[in-house]
Amino acid sequence: MADSPVELPSRLAILPFRNKVLLPGAIVRIRCTNPSSVKLVEQELWQKVEKGLIGVLPVRDSEATAVGSLLSPGVGSDSGEGGSKAGGSAGESSRQDTKNGKEPIHWHSKGVAARALHLSRGVEKPSGRVTYIVVLEGLCRFNVQELSARGPYHVARVSRLDMTKTELEQAEQDPDLIALSRQFKATSMELISVLEQKQKTVGRTKVLLDTVPVYRLADIFVASFEMSFEEQLSMLDSVDLKVRLSKATELVDRHLQSILVAEKITQKVEGQLSKSQKEFLLRQQMRAIKEELGDNDDDEDDVAALERKMQNAGMPANIWKHAQREMRRLRKMQPQQPGYSSSRAYLELLADLPWQKVSEERELDLRAAKESLDQDHYGLTKVKQRIIEYLAVRKLKPDARGPVLCFVGPPGVGKTSLASSIAKALNRKFIRISLGGVKDEADIRGHRRTYIGSMPGRLIDGLKRVSVSNPVILLDEIDKTGSDVRGDPASALLEVLDPEQNKAFNDHYLNVPFDLSKVIFVATANRMQPIPPPLLDRMEVIELPGYTPEEKLKIAMKHLIPRVLEQHGLSMTNLQIPEAMVKLIIERYTREAGVRNLERNLAALARAAAVKVAEQVKTLRLGKEIQPITTALLDSRLADGGEVEMEVIPMEHDISNTYENPSPMIVDEAMVEKVLGPPRFDDREAEDRVASPGVSVGLVWTSVGGEVQFVEATAMVGKGDLHLTGQLGDVIKESAQLALTWVRARAADLNLSPTSDINLLESRDIHIHFPAGAVPKDGPSAGVTLVTALVSLFSNRKVRADTAMTGEMTLRGLVLPVGGVKDKVLAAHRYGIKRVILPERNLKDLSEVPSPILSGMEILLVKRIEEVLDHAFEGGCPLRSRSKL
């Protein structure tokens, strides 16, 4: 175990170490930048051929001035400015006052002699400062006897503290030292065995245990550990071999125990890691690998965020399993693969759908809901009552299924806005899906994911947008869906609108069931005929007939005029439209079931008023006393970019009022005619049209409400043929043929021919025309009107101009009931007709007609054609024979 000791000179140049200790046997690399340290290295090491020894002395960080920096772990740094001469006592730091009065430096009384293993010189640019990099090896301990300054650095008179060779040989025979050495080696070997499992470089450390003396091993081992400055000083101060080995064994054992405890904690934590945590660790490693490969575009972060979003979506258990399978499939794919984007878009849809989220409905207050509906809509009592009934059921049974309502009526009566009012009254989100012209079933059920560019249906997409599962969904224009080779949307709606099926609605793109039972569906249509019967059977049909003139007047004054004024930037102080003028517009300029044309005409008046108001804008002009500033000095300063000081001078003019506020513009009849043109309709139209025989007035129902239909018949020389014009359908053509047959069969009874043997059509043709030839017409309700026109033609008698009629007829002369009675009566009222002939079996439908309308009209109920003719002609229609077939 013997090792030749180092010959220590009596004086050593001192290199201060800030907050660090160099122990014998340890190797440290430092960079010297301080002028004093650079001078020391240059004179003591660089300029000498045979490199001598220098002393490394620790100094305290609290008082020392840094002159170097650590270059690697375990590396010390040179520090300290010029010091003063002082003496030191063993084991204590001695306080030296600097010559120039700076803060004192705390020098430790013991240090280590070191030799330079490597030395390199450098020059910093552009300052030209010289620096040295020195690799030092600690050799032996020394005690400072005297510390003095030699130029910029310090020199110490030192004495050796380590044992001589003879003393070491004697100490090695000490049984206590032998026991301590064995204990130290055993502990060190155990530490090396633990470290071998983590590091492959500890094999060289094993060699040291067999070749290096134990008293040097203690310093070498301890120097490689992380320990405090005080512990390092304590190890440096341990001159006695027993004390040194005892402390070294303690430090090695403490380091070993810390490693074992850390491994135990790691194993325990790893054993408790769940599957998801292990997957997370693996993903982090995979992410690090991708970063090294340059193949990281933050997709992993996005996928993890998507998975968290899916976990918070509240999916049912079976759908969550399906989503997890899709997520695992997505993780195995690269972003560059073709199916990655479609798979990710599908998972994002699953995460965005409101599986459990619903709108928080306020406490149901039926009175407040009724007030809300009345505020948004005038009239429509039947519809409002149905909505209040649903709210009452919801109040008693909160989990009641949503109704499927279908509003049928002409345009402009408020079907779509009524649906939004329902959502407002229920405090629910509102979705409008327009079905007009839709021919593809995929618009309802979505595309299958196998197709390129596939997407969910409009229902699922709408639910994704509003993010709640209980909105009010409006299926607008449900009667205008079509069908072709891509499927039938109306048939796809059967599942949507069936309360027994829509709780598990299956969208082709989604491919998992979605609950639509919480949704309130509202459909709108202009006509019921195009709607397939199975679909119509699933909806509760509520008819919205046209408004009466009185209702239109109130709607205009309460809703339309305020809205029109707001849209055109006007107010009641700018424009006033009296009720009389609104009534004039309703009667002379609009004949419609709704109020859209009425609103357009009111908007035309508002635009005309806006032009006049805008022309009254006052332009602000400079007064005579305000002179323009055009001085040469100001121009030059502005040209030079200089700052100009400005003084604010109060103006004597009041410019707060930009617009004049004259008296409001009041609409009168002259302004109406100037803006809207001459009246389009008058009360004499029917009278003018029936001024000659062969013309009768009928009532028909169209998709835009009830209309008055004139039927014109004329005779001419021919072969007994019947000509029909006016874009007629098959049903109305058959009705015309039926009417002609009945008239020919009853010609004698109607005094149209002397005997029944005479042919009315002999040598003449009959032409029947339905005016407005560009408008398609069909239906059976014109039967009685056709008979009246033919009887008027053959009898050469005019039909009463104040009488209109509707009803289907049979070959035996019976009058059958028809639909759309309220719309037809309202149409007759709009035209100024006072008498309406209706089938007797339509008496029940008159309850829907407003009482003010009925009170101003004469309703004539009939069972047979003869009664129709009796009411249609002035003075009745005398029959030759009262016998009825």
CSV table of all heavy atoms in Angstrom, one decimal, residues 232-282:
chain,number,residue,atom,x,y,z
A,232,GLN,N,-17.0,19.3,2.3
A,232,GLN,CA,-15.7,19.2,1.6
A,232,GLN,C,-14.6,19.7,2.5
A,232,GLN,O,-13.4,19.2,2.6
A,232,GLN,CB,-15.8,20.0,0.3
A,232,GLN,CG,-16.7,19.4,-0.7
A,232,GLN,CD,-16.8,20.3,-1.9
A,232,GLN,OE1,-16.2,21.4,-2.0
A,232,GLN,NE2,-17.7,19.9,-2.9
A,233,LEU,N,-14.8,20.9,3.2
A,233,LEU,CA,-13.8,21.4,4.1
A,233,LEU,C,-13.5,20.4,5.3
A,233,LEU,O,-12.3,20.3,5.7
A,233,LEU,CB,-14.3,22.7,4.7
A,233,LEU,CG,-14.3,23.9,3.8
A,233,LEU,CD1,-14.9,25.1,4.5
A,233,LEU,CD2,-13.0,24.2,3.2
A,234,SER,N,-14.5,19.8,5.8
A,234,SER,CA,-14.3,18.8,6.8
A,234,SER,C,-13.4,17.6,6.4
A,234,SER,O,-12.6,17.1,7.1
A,234,SER,CB,-15.7,18.3,7.3
A,234,SER,OG,-15.5,17.2,8.3
A,235,MET,N,-13.7,17.2,5.1
A,235,MET,CA,-12.8,16.1,4.5
A,235,MET,C,-11.4,16.6,4.3
A,235,MET,O,-10.4,15.9,4.6
A,235,MET,CB,-13.4,15.7,3.2
A,235,MET,CG,-12.8,14.4,2.7
A,235,MET,SD,-13.3,13.0,3.8
A,235,MET,CE,-12.3,11.7,3.0
A,236,LEU,N,-11.2,17.9,3.9
A,236,LEU,CA,-9.9,18.4,3.8
A,236,LEU,C,-9.2,18.5,5.1
A,236,LEU,O,-7.9,18.3,5.2
A,236,LEU,CB,-10.0,19.8,3.1
A,236,LEU,CG,-8.7,20.6,2.9
A,236,LEU,CD1,-7.8,19.8,1.9
A,236,LEU,CD2,-9.0,22.0,2.4
A,237,ASP,N,-9.9,18.9,6.2
A,237,ASP,CA,-9.3,19.0,7.5
A,237,ASP,C,-9.0,17.7,8.2
A,237,ASP,O,-8.3,17.6,9.2
A,237,ASP,CB,-10.2,19.8,8.4
A,237,ASP,CG,-10.4,21.3,7.9
A,237,ASP,OD1,-9.5,21.7,7.2
A,237,ASP,OD2,-11.4,21.9,8.3
A,238,SER,N,-9.5,16.6,7.6
A,238,SER,CA,-9.3,15.2,8.2
A,238,SER,C,-7.9,14.7,7.9
A,238,SER,O,-7.6,14.0,6.9
A,238,SER,CB,-10.3,14.2,7.7
A,238,SER,OG,-11.6,14.7,8.0
A,239,VAL,N,-6.9,15.2,8.7
A,239,VAL,CA,-5.5,14.7,8.4
A,239,VAL,C,-5.3,13.3,9.0
A,239,VAL,O,-4.6,12.5,8.3
A,239,VAL,CB,-4.6,15.8,9.1
A,239,VAL,CG1,-3.1,15.3,8.9
A,239,VAL,CG2,-4.8,17.2,8.6
A,240,ASP,N,-5.9,13.0,10.1
A,240,ASP,CA,-5.7,11.7,10.7
A,240,ASP,C,-6.4,10.6,9.8
A,240,ASP,O,-7.5,10.8,9.3
A,240,ASP,CB,-6.3,11.6,12.1
A,240,ASP,CG,-6.1,10.3,12.8
A,240,ASP,OD1,-5.0,10.1,13.3
A,240,ASP,OD2,-7.0,9.5,12.7
A,241,LEU,N,-5.7,9.5,9.5
A,241,LEU,CA,-6.2,8.5,8.6
A,241,LEU,C,-7.4,7.9,9.1
A,241,LEU,O,-8.4,7.6,8.3
A,241,LEU,CB,-5.1,7.4,8.3
A,241,LEU,CG,-3.9,7.9,7.5
A,241,LEU,CD1,-2.9,6.7,7.3
A,241,LEU,CD2,-4.3,8.4,6.1
A,242,LYS,N,-7.5,7.6,10.4
A,242,LYS,CA,-8.7,7.0,10.9
A,242,LYS,C,-10.0,7.9,10.7
A,242,LYS,O,-11.0,7.4,10.3
A,242,LYS,CB,-8.5,6.6,12.4
A,242,LYS,CG,-7.5,5.6,12.6
A,242,LYS,CD,-7.3,5.3,14.1
A,242,LYS,CE,-6.2,4.2,14.4
A,242,LYS,NZ,-6.1,4.0,15.8
A,243,VAL,N,-9.7,9.1,11.1
A,243,VAL,CA,-10.9,10.1,10.9
A,243,VAL,C,-11.3,10.2,9.5
A,243,VAL,O,-12.4,10.3,9.1
A,243,VAL,CB,-10.5,11.5,11.5
A,243,VAL,CG1,-11.6,12.5,11.3
A,243,VAL,CG2,-10.2,11.3,13.0
A,244,ARG,N,-10.2,10.3,8.6
A,244,ARG,CA,-10.5,10.4,7.2
A,244,ARG,C,-11.3,9.2,6.6
A,244,ARG,O,-12.3,9.4,5.9
A,244,ARG,CB,-9.2,10.6,6.4
A,244,ARG,CG,-9.4,11.0,4.9
A,244,ARG,CD,-8.1,11.0,4.2
A,244,ARG,NE,-7.1,11.8,4.9
A,244,ARG,CZ,-5.8,11.8,4.5
A,244,ARG,NH1,-5.4,11.1,3.5
A,244,ARG,NH2,-4.9,12.6,5.2
A,245,LEU,N,-10.8,8.0,7.0
A,245,LEU,CA,-11.5,6.8,6.5
A,245,LEU,C,-12.9,6.7,7.1
A,245,LEU,O,-13.9,6.3,6.4
A,245,LEU,CB,-10.7,5.6,6.8
A,245,LEU,CG,-9.5,5.3,6.0
A,245,LEU,CD1,-8.7,4.1,6.5
A,245,LEU,CD2,-9.9,5.0,4.5
A,246,SER,N,-13.1,7.1,8.3
A,246,SER,CA,-14.4,7.0,8.9
A,246,SER,C,-15.4,8.0,8.2
A,246,SER,O,-16.5,7.6,7.9
A,246,SER,CB,-14.3,7.4,10.4
A,246,SER,OG,-15.6,7.4,11.0
A,247,LYS,N,-14.9,9.2,8.0
A,247,LYS,CA,-15.8,10.2,7.3
A,247,LYS,C,-16.1,9.7,5.8
A,247,LYS,O,-17.2,9.9,5.3
A,247,LYS,CB,-15.2,11.6,7.3
A,247,LYS,CG,-15.2,12.2,8.6
A,247,LYS,CD,-14.7,13.7,8.5
A,247,LYS,CE,-14.8,14.3,9.9
A,247,LYS,NZ,-14.4,15.7,9.9
A,248,ALA,N,-15.0,9.2,5.2
A,248,ALA,CA,-15.2,8.8,3.8
A,248,ALA,C,-16.2,7.6,3.7
A,248,ALA,O,-17.1,7.5,2.8
A,248,ALA,CB,-13.9,8.4,3.2
A,249,THR,N,-16.1,6.7,4.7
A,249,THR,CA,-17.0,5.5,4.7
A,249,THR,C,-18.4,6.0,4.9
A,249,THR,O,-19.4,5.5,4.3
A,249,THR,CB,-16.6,4.5,5.8
A,249,THR,OG1,-15.3,4.1,5.6
A,249,THR,CG2,-17.6,3.3,5.8
A,250,GLU,N,-18.6,7.0,5.8
A,250,GLU,CA,-19.9,7.6,6.0
A,250,GLU,C,-20.5,8.2,4.8
A,250,GLU,O,-21.7,8.0,4.4
A,250,GLU,CB,-19.8,8.6,7.2
A,250,GLU,CG,-21.2,9.2,7.5
A,250,GLU,CD,-21.0,10.3,8.6
A,250,GLU,OE1,-19.9,10.4,9.2
A,250,GLU,OE2,-22.0,11.0,8.8
A,251,LEU,N,-19.7,9.0,4.1
A,251,LEU,CA,-20.1,9.6,2.9
A,251,LEU,C,-20.5,8.6,1.7
A,251,LEU,O,-21.5,8.8,1.0
A,251,LEU,CB,-19.1,10.6,2.4
A,251,LEU,CG,-18.9,11.9,3.3
A,251,LEU,CD1,-17.7,12.7,2.8
A,251,LEU,CD2,-20.2,12.7,3.3
A,252,VAL,N,-19.6,7.6,1.6
A,252,VAL,CA,-19.9,6.6,0.6
A,252,VAL,C,-21.2,5.8,0.9
A,252,VAL,O,-22.0,5.6,0.0
A,252,VAL,CB,-18.7,5.6,0.4
A,252,VAL,CG1,-19.0,4.4,-0.5
A,252,VAL,CG2,-17.5,6.3,-0.1
A,253,ASP,N,-21.4,5.5,2.2
A,253,ASP,CA,-22.6,4.8,2.6
A,253,ASP,C,-23.8,5.6,2.4
A,253,ASP,O,-24.9,5.1,1.9
A,253,ASP,CB,-22.4,4.3,4.0
A,253,ASP,CG,-23.6,3.5,4.5
A,253,ASP,OD1,-23.8,2.4,3.9
A,253,ASP,OD2,-24.4,3.9,5.3
A,254,ARG,N,-23.7,6.9,2.7
A,254,ARG,CA,-24.8,7.8,2.5
A,254,ARG,C,-25.2,7.9,1.0
A,254,ARG,O,-26.4,7.9,0.6
A,254,ARG,CB,-24.5,9.2,3.1
A,254,ARG,CG,-25.7,10.1,3.1
A,254,ARG,CD,-25.3,11.4,3.7
A,254,ARG,NE,-24.4,12.2,2.8
A,254,ARG,CZ,-23.9,13.4,3.2
A,254,ARG,NH1,-24.2,13.9,4.3
A,254,ARG,NH2,-23.1,14.0,2.3
A,255,HIS,N,-24.2,8.0,0.2
A,255,HIS,CA,-24.4,8.0,-1.3
A,255,HIS,C,-25.1,6.7,-1.8
A,255,HIS,O,-26.0,6.8,-2.6
A,255,HIS,CB,-23.1,8.3,-2.0
A,255,HIS,CG,-23.3,8.6,-3.4
A,255,HIS,ND1,-24.0,9.7,-3.9
A,255,HIS,CD2,-22.9,8.0,-4.6
A,255,HIS,CE1,-24.0,9.7,-5.2
A,255,HIS,NE2,-23.3,8.7,-5.6
A,256,LEU,N,-24.6,5.6,-1.2
A,256,LEU,CA,-25.2,4.3,-1.6
A,256,LEU,C,-26.6,4.2,-1.2
A,256,LEU,O,-27.5,3.8,-1.9
A,256,LEU,CB,-24.3,3.2,-0.9
A,256,LEU,CG,-24.9,1.8,-1.1
A,256,LEU,CD1,-24.9,1.4,-2.6
A,256,LEU,CD2,-24.0,0.8,-0.3
A,257,GLN,N,-26.9,4.6,0.0
A,257,GLN,CA,-28.3,4.5,0.5
A,257,GLN,C,-29.2,5.5,-0.3
A,257,GLN,O,-30.4,5.1,-0.5
A,257,GLN,CB,-28.4,4.9,2.0
A,257,GLN,CG,-27.6,4.0,2.9
A,257,GLN,CD,-28.2,2.5,2.8
A,257,GLN,OE1,-29.4,2.3,2.6
A,257,GLN,NE2,-27.2,1.6,2.8
A,258,SER,N,-28.7,6.6,-0.6
A,258,SER,CA,-29.6,7.5,-1.4
A,258,SER,C,-29.9,6.9,-2.8
A,258,SER,O,-31.0,7.0,-3.3
A,258,SER,CB,-28.9,8.9,-1.6
A,258,SER,OG,-27.7,8.7,-2.4
A,259,ILE,N,-28.9,6.2,-3.4
A,259,ILE,CA,-29.2,5.5,-4.7
A,259,ILE,C,-30.2,4.4,-4.5
A,259,ILE,O,-31.1,4.2,-5.3
A,259,ILE,CB,-27.9,5.0,-5.3
A,259,ILE,CG1,-27.0,6.2,-5.7
A,259,ILE,CG2,-28.1,4.1,-6.5
A,259,ILE,CD1,-25.6,5.8,-6.2
A,260,LEU,N,-30.0,3.6,-3.4
A,260,LEU,CA,-30.9,2.5,-3.2
A,260,LEU,C,-32.4,3.0,-2.9
A,260,LEU,O,-33.3,2.4,-3.4
A,260,LEU,CB,-30.4,1.6,-2.0
A,260,LEU,CG,-29.1,0.9,-2.2
A,260,LEU,CD1,-28.7,0.2,-1.0
A,260,LEU,CD2,-29.3,-0.1,-3.4
A,261,VAL,N,-32.5,4.0,-2.1
A,261,VAL,CA,-33.8,4.6,-1.8
A,261,VAL,C,-34.5,5.1,-3.1
A,261,VAL,O,-35.7,4.9,-3.4
A,261,VAL,CB,-33.8,5.7,-0.8
A,261,VAL,CG1,-35.1,6.4,-0.6
A,261,VAL,CG2,-33.4,5.1,0.6
A,262,ALA,N,-33.7,5.8,-3.9
A,262,ALA,CA,-34.2,6.3,-5.2
A,262,ALA,C,-34.7,5.2,-6.1
A,262,ALA,O,-35.7,5.2,-6.7
A,262,ALA,CB,-33.2,7.2,-5.9
A,263,GLU,N,-33.9,4.1,-6.1
A,263,GLU,CA,-34.3,2.9,-7.0
A,263,GLU,C,-35.6,2.3,-6.4
A,263,GLU,O,-36.5,1.9,-7.2
A,263,GLU,CB,-33.2,1.9,-7.0
A,263,GLU,CG,-32.0,2.3,-7.9
A,263,GLU,CD,-31.1,1.1,-8.1
A,263,GLU,OE1,-31.2,0.1,-7.4
A,263,GLU,OE2,-30.2,1.2,-9.0
A,264,LYS,N,-35.7,2.2,-5.1
A,264,LYS,CA,-36.8,1.6,-4.5
A,264,LYS,C,-38.1,2.4,-4.8
A,264,LYS,O,-39.1,1.9,-5.1
A,264,LYS,CB,-36.6,1.5,-3.0
A,264,LYS,CG,-37.8,0.8,-2.2
A,264,LYS,CD,-37.4,0.6,-0.8
A,264,LYS,CE,-38.6,-0.1,0.0
A,264,LYS,NZ,-38.3,-0.2,1.4
A,265,ILE,N,-37.9,3.7,-4.7
A,265,ILE,CA,-39.1,4.6,-5.0
A,265,ILE,C,-39.5,4.5,-6.5
A,265,ILE,O,-40.6,4.4,-6.8
A,265,ILE,CB,-38.7,6.1,-4.6
A,265,ILE,CG1,-38.6,6.2,-3.1
A,265,ILE,CG2,-39.8,7.0,-5.1
A,265,ILE,CD1,-38.1,7.6,-2.7
A,266,THR,N,-38.5,4.4,-7.3
A,266,THR,CA,-38.7,4.3,-8.8
A,266,THR,C,-39.5,3.0,-9.1
A,266,THR,O,-40.4,3.0,-9.8
A,266,THR,CB,-37.4,4.4,-9.5
A,266,THR,OG1,-36.8,5.6,-9.2
A,266,THR,CG2,-37.7,4.3,-11.0
A,267,GLN,N,-39.0,1.9,-8.5
A,267,GLN,CA,-39.7,0.6,-8.7
A,267,GLN,C,-41.1,0.7,-8.2
A,267,GLN,O,-42.0,0.1,-8.8
A,267,GLN,CB,-38.9,-0.5,-8.0
A,267,GLN,CG,-37.5,-0.7,-8.7
A,267,GLN,CD,-36.7,-1.8,-7.9
A,267,GLN,OE1,-37.1,-2.3,-6.9
A,267,GLN,NE2,-35.5,-2.1,-8.5
A,268,LYS,N,-41.3,1.3,-7.0
A,268,LYS,CA,-42.6,1.4,-6.5
A,268,LYS,C,-43.6,2.2,-7.3
A,268,LYS,O,-44.7,1.8,-7.6
A,268,LYS,CB,-42.6,2.0,-5.1
A,268,LYS,CG,-43.9,1.9,-4.3
A,268,LYS,CD,-43.7,2.5,-2.9
A,268,LYS,CE,-45.1,2.5,-2.2
A,268,LYS,NZ,-45.0,3.0,-0.8
A,269,VAL,N,-43.0,3.3,-7.8
A,269,VAL,CA,-43.9,4.2,-8.7
A,269,VAL,C,-44.2,3.5,-10.0
A,269,VAL,O,-45.3,3.5,-10.5
A,269,VAL,CB,-43.1,5.5,-8.9
A,269,VAL,CG1,-43.9,6.4,-10.0
A,269,VAL,CG2,-43.1,6.3,-7.6
A,270,GLU,N,-43.1,2.8,-10.6
A,270,GLU,CA,-43.4,2.1,-11.8
A,270,GLU,C,-44.4,1.0,-11.7
A,270,GLU,O,-45.2,0.7,-12.6
A,270,GLU,CB,-42.0,1.6,-12.4
A,270,GLU,CG,-41.1,2.7,-12.9
A,270,GLU,CD,-39.8,2.1,-13.4
A,270,GLU,OE1,-39.6,0.9,-13.2
A,270,GLU,OE2,-39.0,2.8,-14.0
A,271,GLY,N,-44.4,0.4,-10.5
A,271,GLY,CA,-45.3,-0.7,-10.3
A,271,GLY,C,-46.8,-0.2,-10.2
A,271,GLY,O,-47.7,-0.9,-10.4
A,272,GLN,N,-46.9,1.1,-9.7
A,272,GLN,CA,-48.2,1.7,-9.6
A,272,GLN,C,-48.7,2.4,-10.8
A,272,GLN,O,-49.8,2.9,-10.9
A,272,GLN,CB,-48.2,2.6,-8.4
A,272,GLN,CG,-48.0,1.9,-7.1
A,272,GLN,CD,-47.9,2.9,-5.9
A,272,GLN,OE1,-47.8,4.1,-6.2
A,272,GLN,NE2,-47.9,2.4,-4.7
A,273,LEU,N,-47.8,2.5,-11.9
A,273,LEU,CA,-48.2,3.2,-13.1
A,273,LEU,C,-49.4,2.5,-13.8
A,273,LEU,O,-49.3,1.2,-14.0
A,273,LEU,CB,-47.1,3.3,-14.0
A,273,LEU,CG,-46.0,4.4,-13.7
A,273,LEU,CD1,-44.9,4.3,-14.7
A,273,LEU,CD2,-46.6,5.8,-13.7
A,274,SER,N,-50.4,3.2,-14.1
A,274,SER,CA,-51.5,2.5,-14.8
A,274,SER,C,-51.1,2.4,-16.3
A,274,SER,O,-50.1,2.8,-16.7
A,274,SER,CB,-52.8,3.4,-14.7
A,274,SER,OG,-52.6,4.7,-15.3
A,275,LYS,N,-52.0,1.7,-17.0
A,275,LYS,CA,-51.8,1.4,-18.4
A,275,LYS,C,-51.7,2.7,-19.2
A,275,LYS,O,-50.8,2.9,-20.0
A,275,LYS,CB,-52.9,0.5,-18.9
A,275,LYS,CG,-52.7,0.2,-20.4
A,275,LYS,CD,-53.8,-0.7,-20.9
A,275,LYS,CE,-53.6,-1.1,-22.3
A,275,LYS,NZ,-54.7,-1.9,-22.8
A,276,SER,N,-52.6,3.6,-18.8
A,276,SER,CA,-52.6,4.9,-19.6
A,276,SER,C,-51.3,5.7,-19.3
A,276,SER,O,-50.7,6.4,-20.2
A,276,SER,CB,-53.8,5.8,-19.2
A,276,SER,OG,-53.8,6.0,-17.8
A,277,GLN,N,-50.8,5.6,-18.1
A,277,GLN,CA,-49.5,6.3,-17.7
A,277,GLN,C,-48.4,5.7,-18.5
A,277,GLN,O,-47.5,6.4,-18.9
A,277,GLN,CB,-49.3,6.3,-16.2
A,277,GLN,CG,-50.3,7.2,-15.5
A,277,GLN,CD,-50.2,7.0,-14.0
A,277,GLN,OE1,-50.0,5.9,-13.5
A,277,GLN,NE2,-50.2,8.1,-13.3
A,278,LYS,N,-48.3,4.4,-18.6
A,278,LYS,CA,-47.3,3.8,-19.3
A,278,LYS,C,-47.3,4.2,-20.8
A,278,LYS,O,-46.3,4.4,-21.4
A,278,LYS,CB,-47.3,2.3,-19.2
A,278,LYS,CG,-47.0,1.8,-17.7
A,278,LYS,CD,-47.1,0.2,-17.7
A,278,LYS,CE,-46.7,-0.2,-16.3
A,278,LYS,NZ,-46.9,-1.7,-16.1
A,279,GLU,N,-48.6,4.2,-21.3
A,279,GLU,CA,-48.7,4.6,-22.7
A,279,GLU,C,-48.2,6.1,-22.9
A,279,GLU,O,-47.6,6.4,-23.9
A,279,GLU,CB,-50.1,4.5,-23.1
A,279,GLU,CG,-50.6,3.1,-23.3
A,279,GLU,CD,-52.1,3.0,-23.7
A,279,GLU,OE1,-52.7,4.0,-23.7
A,279,GLU,OE2,-52.6,1.9,-23.9
A,280,PHE,N,-48.5,6.9,-21.9
A,280,PHE,CA,-48.0,8.3,-22.0
A,280,PHE,C,-46.5,8.4,-22.0
A,280,PHE,O,-45.9,9.1,-22.8
A,280,PHE,CB,-48.6,9.1,-20.8
A,280,PHE,CG,-48.1,10.5,-20.7
A,280,PHE,CD1,-48.6,11.5,-21.5
A,280,PHE,CD2,-47.1,10.8,-19.8
A,280,PHE,CE1,-48.1,12.8,-21.5
A,280,PHE,CE2,-46.6,12.1,-19.7
A,280,PHE,CZ,-47.1,13.1,-20.6
A,281,LEU,N,-45.9,7.6,-21.1
A,281,LEU,CA,-44.4,7.6,-21.1
A,281,LEU,C,-43.9,7.1,-22.5
A,281,LEU,O,-42.9,7.7,-23.0
A,281,LEU,CB,-43.9,6.7,-20.0
A,281,LEU,CG,-44.1,7.2,-18.6
A,281,LEU,CD1,-43.7,6.1,-17.6
A,281,LEU,CD2,-43.4,8.5,-18.3
A,282,LEU,N,-44.5,6.1,-23.0
A,282,LEU,CA,-44.0,5.6,-24.3
A,282,LEU,C,-44.2,6.6,-25.4
A,282,LEU,O,-43.4,6.8,-26.3
A,282,LEU,CB,-44.8,4.3,-24.7
A,282,LEU,CG,-44.5,3.1,-23.8
A,282,LEU,CD1,-45.4,1.9,-24.2
A,282,LEU,CD2,-43.0,2.6,-24.0
